[in-house]
Amino acid sequence: MRRGEIIMVGLLALFSLYLMWKSAELPIGYIRGQGPGGGAWPFWLSAVMPGSCGVIALRWWRRESPPSRSEEPMLDSYGWRTLAQVGGIVVFVALIDVILIYGAIAVSCSITCASSGVTASR
């Protein structure tokens, strides 16, 4: 659990930096006569996220949170199977534009079935 907590904090911090970069493509300041720009809310929200990640990382380093004191694995076998099934859904959505809906269904179903142990039977 300890390693999983800091890995997730790092990924969340990187994701927040990416969101800041992407939201800065829109105006993030105040536009006279219109109000805040389209990227203002996502930019400033993702600007606060690294600070939250820093607080979590500090608590991890001090071993103040229960996961930071735990030596248990982050995922057991059931957790890995569930993650693989969710991965099948993510793959499905990502592949719709690439190989169209029917190809995406075939690929994601094969991932989901393989992760849950389902086999084709007659």
Side-chain angles (χ1 to χ4, degrees):
M1 276 265 190
R2 180 168 164 77
R3 184 181 311 141
E5 183 181 24
I6 199 66
I7 289 171
M8 289 308 299
V9 164
L11 290 175
L12 185 61
L14 289 175
F15 184 62
S16 67
L17 293 175
Y18 169 76
L19 288 176
M20 284 176 65
W21 173 62
K22 286 304 282 182
S23 62
E25 293 175 356
L26 296 171
I28 59 174
Y30 190 82
I31 301 170
R32 181 169 293 196
Q34 293 182 356
W41 174 250
F43 178 82
W44 294 110
L45 181 64
S46 58
V48 172
M49 286 171 55
S52 299
C53 292
V55 170
I56 294 170
L58 180 65
R59 291 190 57 176
W60 174 85
W61 183 66
R62 292 180 179 174
R63 293 184 181 244
E64 292 177 356
S65 65
S68 67
R69 291 188 298 266
S70 175
E71 294 300 325
E72 297 176 14
M74 185 168 172
L75 293 173
D76 57 356
S77 62
Y78 178 75
W80 282 111
R81 278 196 314 271
T82 304
L83 187 64
Q85 289 174 349
V86 170
I89 295 168
V90 171
V91 167
F92 168 71
V93 172
L95 288 178
I96 288 176
D97 284 340
V98 179
I99 57 176
L100 304 179
I101 190 81
Y102 296 115
I105 289 172
V107 171
S108 66
C109 283
S110 64
I111 290 172
T112 303
C113 291
S115 67
S116 62
V118 175
T119 58
S121 60
R122 295 180 188 218

